[in-house]
Structure formats: structure tokens, C-alpha cells
């Protein structure tokens, strides 16, 4: 495996880097241009790009914390509104390609990092297809090209953080992606009957029975850039993503949770659209928020949840697989109101071509940016924000 990856790095890294840089030229179409003069078109393009970049650079500073597909879905929407994005990503993944590379090479799991980098990159379907390409045979079977590229960048730079920096630069992403820590940590839990559960995969299988969660080693240190991003944030977003294996592990790094507690920025929890088999089986929106409060030592200021039932055929398929739609009940609304949590509900899902339910990334991002801008302008955000079509 070592020799194959070394060969792969040497053979592909140069070509991939050259390709990525070649695709950084903006691809703005001017179908309604009145002139066919190339120099005039280029001038219009440059003006448009500068104006767009200036608008995005003035956007709110948003810190998004999580992992998995939920975080990357959110980032795709956020980059339409601001360049000032920091994605803080969990590093406890043990499955698939990430788990194998972690075991064989001793590196932190690259999968969630890769997904977030691609989500913040300029729109480039060819680039996404290339870096998401997954080998299907030989010793590389199951590995994605993006994971191996990040591994190669880490080996060349001599440090996982520096390897990520290289890809941040190569992909010209809108924002930055940071692992919550560069230490090798393990997710550990205790169930209600006192049993110890170790590892992300085992935690996933006993979510409803969990009583406590922590990281080992318990004194893991976050990156300084993580704490700096939180202190400068206009908005701190938790989720969407797997409750116990994507969102909460970041909060178990003590200095991270302390930084959030000390921040003046609003904290928003974005609830999942569905429960997850075994991990959050039987959970309600309130149950999710209670676990966040238990670990963070405070409830979020806002909870964002879907308000609209899924189509019957889609819902039935998910229910058969062990997932239930997460919709807020009247009793839960009263609970949130009683403790001062601002509840935002709206139709936040869309169904992709494969028939899978995902958050509508742009609609969700627009909601979050409104909260952030209101807080940035020092308004009384809990009382003054007006959400068209949303109820609180």
C-alpha cells in the first residue's frame, strides 16, 4: 500500500495540481452581452468578478461546526453569500477510506475535510468528479482520489494542517477548512447501564442508550486558528449532521466549547431532517437540542428545523429503513419558548436526483445569513429578525 500511494502521489500530484490551477479562471457567461469584441467582454468579466468578490468579502463571518455530508451541504449554500467562512471539522471518523488511511498511515481522517474543501471551492463539476473519484479495484479499492491527494499533500508538507492549507490554496476556496484538532482522538461513551462504548462506529449503534460522551485523550488541544475564528464570528452554526459523531465531538474539545460560551455571537443549531437509524432512533427535535445543551452547557440561541412533511412515497421509504422525519410538535414549541430559544421553522429540504432528502443549502444559508447580519449590525436580534415564510 505504501509503495502504491507513493507512486500515485508522484504520478498524479503534478497533473492534478496543474489541472486545478488551470480551472481557477472564472467561468462567467455573458449571454446578453451587446458586443462580440473579446477585449470588451474580458473587461466586463473582470468588473463582474471584482464586484462579486467585493460583495462576498463584505459578508458576515460565519463559523460552521460539524462533519459529514450535513456540513458540506451547508457550506455549498453559505459560499453564495460570503467568503468569510470557517468550517471546523471533526476528526473522529473511523469508517471507509478515511478509517483505512488513519489506520495504515497514522493520519487524521481526510474524508470530511475533503468534502468541505470541495463544497467551498468555486463551482466546478469536473473538479468535483475528479477528486470524488473512488477506485474500485486493487489495493486502492474504496479510496477516493481526494483523500489520497490530501494524504500526499500531508506527506509532502510534513503536517496534516499544512497539507490542508495547500489544498485550501490550490482549490481557491471561499473561506477556510480547519480540523478541530490535529491530535489523534477517540470518541468514547458510557451507556445508561454503565457500559463503556469506544469508537465512532460503536457510538453510532447505541445512541439512545448513551448517558455521557467524551474524547480520549480528554485534554486534546484545538488549533489556535479554530479559537480565533470563533472569537471573530458573527454567527456560530452547529450542524446539520450526525448528532453524536459529527456535531458533538467538536464540542467535546473543552477549549472549543469554552470559546463558544465566551463568544457574543448567536449560536444556531440546525437540526437534521430525519432521525438516524440506531444513532438517534426515537429522538425528537427537543432531544437533539437537549444533548447540545448538555455538552455545551447552554442551549443554542436559535434552533432551525424543517416544518414541512415529506412526500408520502419518500417518507415511507425512509421509515422502512429506520429513519423518521423530524418535525417540531406543539409541546416542543412551548418548551423552546419557555427557555428563550428562538425556533425557526420552514420547508428546508429538497429531494435530489437519487431520491434522497437533503437540506436546501441555499435556503438554509439565507436564513443563517439573516441572523448573522442582524447580529453584526448590533440589533436586538431575537426580537427584530423578520423571516418571511418562517414562524418562530
Amino acid at each position: 500500500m505504501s509503495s502504491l500511494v507513493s507512486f500515485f502521489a508522484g504520478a498524479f500530484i503534478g497533473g492534478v495540481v496543474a489541472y486545478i490551477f488551470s480551472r481557477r479562471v472564472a467561468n462567467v457567461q455573458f449571454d446578453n452581452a451587446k458586443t462580440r469584441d473579446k477585449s470588451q467582454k474580458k473587461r466586463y468579466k473582470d468588473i463582474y468578478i471584482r464586484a462579486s468578490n467585493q460583495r462576498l468579502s463584505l459578508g458576515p463571518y460565519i463559523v460552521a461546526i460539524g462533519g459529514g455530508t450535513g456540513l458540506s451541504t451547508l457550506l455549498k449554500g453559505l459560499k453564495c453569500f460570503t467568503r468569510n467562512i470557517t468550517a471546523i471539522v471533526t476528526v473522529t471518523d473511523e469508517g471507509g477510506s478515511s478509517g483505512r488511511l488513519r489506520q495504515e498511515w497514522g493520519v487524521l481522517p481526510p474524508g470530511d475535510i475533503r468534502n468541505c474543501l470541495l463544497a467551498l471551492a468555486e463551482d466546478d463539476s469536473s473538479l468535483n468528479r475528479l477528486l470524488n473519484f473512488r477506485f474500485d479495484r486493487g489495493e486502492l479499492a474504496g479510496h477516493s482520489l481526494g483523500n489520497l491527494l490530501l494524504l500526499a499533500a500531508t506527506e509532502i508538507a510534513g503536517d496534516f494542517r499544512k497539507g490542508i492549507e495547500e489544498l485550501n490554496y490550490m482549490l481557491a476556496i471561499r473561506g477556510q477548512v480547519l480540523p478541530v484538532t490535529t491530535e489523534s482522538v477517540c470518541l468514547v461513551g458510557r451507556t445508561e447501564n454503565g457500559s463503556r462504548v469506544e469508537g465512532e462506529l460503536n457510538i453510532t449503534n447505541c445512541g439512545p442508550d448513551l448517558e455521557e460522551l467524551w474524547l480520549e485523550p480528554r485534554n486534546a488541544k484545538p488549533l489556535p486558528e479554530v479559537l480565533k475564528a470563533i472569537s471573530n464570528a458573527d454567527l456560530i452554526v452547529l450542524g446539520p449532521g450526525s448528532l453524536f459523531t459529527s456535531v458533538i465531538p467538536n464540542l467535546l474539545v473543552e477549549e472549543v466549547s469554552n470559546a463558544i460560551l465566551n463568544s457574543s455571537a448567536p449560536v444556531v443549531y440546525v437540526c437534521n431532517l430525519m432521525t438516524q437509524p440506531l444513532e438517534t432512533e426515537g429522538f425528537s427535535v427537543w432531544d437533539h437540542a437537549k444533548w447540545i445543551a448538555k455538552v455545551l452547557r447552554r442551549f443554542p440561541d436559535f434552533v432551525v428545523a424543517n416544518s414541512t412533511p415529506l412526500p408520502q412515497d419518500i417518507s415511507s421509504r425512509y421509515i422502512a429503513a429506520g429513519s423518521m422525519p423530524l418535525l417540531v410538535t406543539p409541546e416542543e414549541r412551548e418548551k423552546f419558548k419557555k427557555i428563550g430559544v428562538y425556533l425557526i421553522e420552514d420547508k428546508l429540504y429538497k429531494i435530489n436526483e437519487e431520491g434522497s432528502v437533503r437540506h436546501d443549502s441555499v435556503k438554509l444559508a439565507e436564513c443563517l445569513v439573516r441572523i448573522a447580519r442582524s447580529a453584526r449590525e448590533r440589533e436586538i436580534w431575537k426580537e427584530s429578525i423578520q423571516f418571511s415564510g418562517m414562524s418562530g
Side-chain angles (χ1 to χ4, degrees):
M1 177 64 181
S2 176
S3 60
L4 277 175
V5 173
S6 299
F7 170 80
F8 167 83
F12 286 93
I13 188 80
V16 172
V17 171
Y19 172 81
I20 291 171
F21 274 112
S22 72
R23 300 291 293 186
R24 292 306 95 218
V25 179
N27 186 28
V28 181
Q29 299 297 325
F30 293 89
D31 296 331
N32 62 344
K34 295 181 179 180
T35 176
R36 303 180 65 86
D37 181 75
K38 290 184 179 180
S39 62
Q40 186 76 350
K41 282 186 177 182
K42 183 178 185 302
R43 190 154 57 247
Y44 287 157
K45 179 185 287 188
D46 290 342
I47 291 172
Y48 176 88
I49 292 173
R50 284 198 298 271
S52 178
N53 287 342
Q54 183 178 17
R55 174 182 61 82
L56 292 172
S57 67
L58 295 174
Y61 286 78
I62 297 179
V63 171
I65 300 175
T69 58
L71 181 58
S72 58
T73 298
L74 170 61
L75 297 178
K76 290 175 184 177
L78 284 178
K79 72 178 181 183
C80 300
F81 297 91
T82 179
R83 284 188 179 275
N84 302 312
I85 304 167
T86 296
I88 298 174
V89 186
T90 183
V91 290
T92 57
D93 189 7
E94 296 179 328
S97 171
S98 289
R100 288 170 57 194
L101 293 177
R102 184 175 186 177
Q103 182 178 11
E104 295 171 9
W105 284 77
V107 296
L108 292 174
D112 287 350
I113 298 285
R114 180 201 80 230
N115 288 334
C116 291
L117 287 168
L118 287 174
L120 287 176
E122 300 288 348
D123 289 334
D124 193 328
S125 58
S126 297
L127 178 63
N128 274 272
R129 285 198 302 270
L130 178 65
L131 296 188
N132 281 325
F133 173 78
R134 198 170 293 274
F135 297 91
D136 61 2
R137 58 186 177 273
E139 291 186 49
L140 295 179
H143 287 301
S144 72
L145 178 58
N147 282 1
L148 295 179
L149 183 62
L150 183 51
L151 171 61
T154 300
E155 290 292 300
I156 292 169
D159 178 80
F160 187 66
R161 173 69 184 100
K162 291 179 181 178
I164 296 172
E165 283 182 358
E166 288 296 320
L167 289 190
N168 271 274
Y169 175 69
M170 288 163 54
L171 296 172
I173 71 170
R174 296 183 180 181
Q176 65 175 339
V177 178
L178 299 171
V180 66
T181 179
T182 53
E183 297 182 30
S184 180
V185 292
C186 179
L187 187 61
V188 183
R190 180 174 56 81
T191 63
E192 293 174 349
N193 64 9
S195 300
R196 175 187 169 95
V197 185
E198 186 172 322
E200 185 180 271
L201 297 177
N202 291 323
I203 295 291
T204 299
N205 291 329
C206 62
D209 298 324
L210 287 173
E211 181 70 24
E212 185 182 2
L213 277 174
W214 66 90
L215 293 178
E216 291 185 355
R218 288 181 180 261
N219 60 348
K221 297 295 182 183
L223 291 178
E225 297 93 334
V226 166
L227 300 181
K228 181 178 179 181
I230 293 172
S231 68
N232 292 333
D234 293 319
L235 189 73
I236 299 168
V237 183
L238 309 177
S242 301
L243 180 65
F244 295 125
T245 55
S246 291
V247 180
I248 285 180
N250 296 287
L251 305 180
L252 295 173
V253 180
E254 186 175 1
E255 289 186 47
V256 170
S257 57
N258 287 340
I260 295 173
L261 289 173
N262 293 329
S263 172
S264 59
V267 177
V268 181
Y269 173 58
V270 180
C271 192
N272 291 341
L273 299 169
M274 314 287 294
T275 62
Q276 293 180 267
L278 298 180
E279 181 167 347
T280 54
E281 191 171 310
F283 275 38
S284 64
V285 174
W286 174 257
D287 292 329
H288 283 73
K290 272 203 310 180
W291 258 104
I292 295 293
K294 181 176 182 177
V295 176
L296 188 58
R297 307 189 299 281
R298 58 160 285 193
F299 274 90
D301 301 296
F302 292 80
V303 170
V304 177
N306 176 50
S307 66
T308 308
L310 302 178
Q312 184 61 44
D313 57 331
I314 301 293
S315 179
S316 297
R317 178 160 53 82
Y318 271 91
I319 291 173
S323 294
M324 296 292 294
L326 277 165
L327 299 170
V328 184
T329 66
E331 293 77 18
E332 288 177 298
R333 291 190 189 97
E334 287 300 315
K335 288 181 180 180
F336 283 122
K337 183 177 180 181
K338 186 175 181 179
I339 62 174
V341 172
Y342 197 98
L343 180 64
I344 300 172
E345 299 177 76
D346 197 9
K347 180 184 176 182
L348 294 175
Y349 72 83
K350 64 179 182 180
I351 300 170
N352 64 20
E353 295 177 355
E354 291 76 32
S356 299
V357 178
R358 296 288 184 265
H359 274 96
D360 185 324
S361 59
V362 174
K363 193 169 186 179
L364 176 59
E366 183 180 14
C367 166
L368 297 173
V369 167
R370 289 184 183 182
I371 301 174
R373 284 177 175 161
S374 181
R376 197 180 192 186
E377 294 165 7
R378 297 184 180 181
E379 298 175 16
I380 306 173
W381 38 268
K382 281 195 177 181
E383 298 177 5
S384 64
I385 296 177
Q386 299 297 316
F387 293 95
S388 176
M390 299 183 183
S391 62

